[in-house]
Amino acid sequence: MAPLRTIMTRDLVTASKDATLKEVAALMADNDIGNVLFMDGERLAGILTDRDIVVRAVAFGRDPGSLAVDHASADPFTLDADTEIAEAAAQMGEKQIRRLPVTEGGKVVGIVSLSDLSNRTGGDADQQALEGISTPTL
């Protein structure tokens, strides 16, 4: 199989650490995406997904004007762009993640989602990841 670089999305949407939940949600809507990255210089500091907004903020009545970064996953798991797709799918399943930032030389250069695995690999890789994500942790 091919490396992640062949299926990753290269157009990354980032937000500053002072962006609010409402602003990040608007970025997601405007760009038709389900995640926004928070950067500290060139280092990935966090990722916020549409699911995070619902589960970590809305479900608890958080103010849409509160800082989005406070609800983000800090220091997200990443893989190198040369990682084989099958290995990435296995890691996504094991770690139960739906979106995987992709790095090159320590710098974020792309992102791979479950839909990327499905749409760009013929569906084999996403099945492995989805099985791991769907398995409840004890």
Side-chain angles (χ1 to χ4, degrees), residues 26-95:
L27 273 176
M28 289 180 188
D30 291 346
N31 290 281
D32 192 27
I33 56 172
N35 69 86
V36 170
L37 304 175
F38 292 94
M39 306 298 291
D40 184 8
E42 291 196 11
R43 184 185 75 80
L44 178 61
I47 184 171
L48 185 73
T49 67
D50 47 6
R51 185 174 190 280
D52 292 331
I53 292 173
V54 172
V55 174
R56 295 180 179 176
V58 174
F60 293 99
R62 302 294 192 261
D63 177 1
S66 66
L67 291 179
V69 73
D70 291 344
H71 306 287
S73 297
D75 297 318
F77 177 76
T78 64
L79 285 175
D80 188 86
D82 289 326
T83 304
E84 289 294 316
I85 293 169
E87 173 62 20
Q91 291 287 329
M92 289 173 76
E94 180 181 313
K95 298 188 182 321

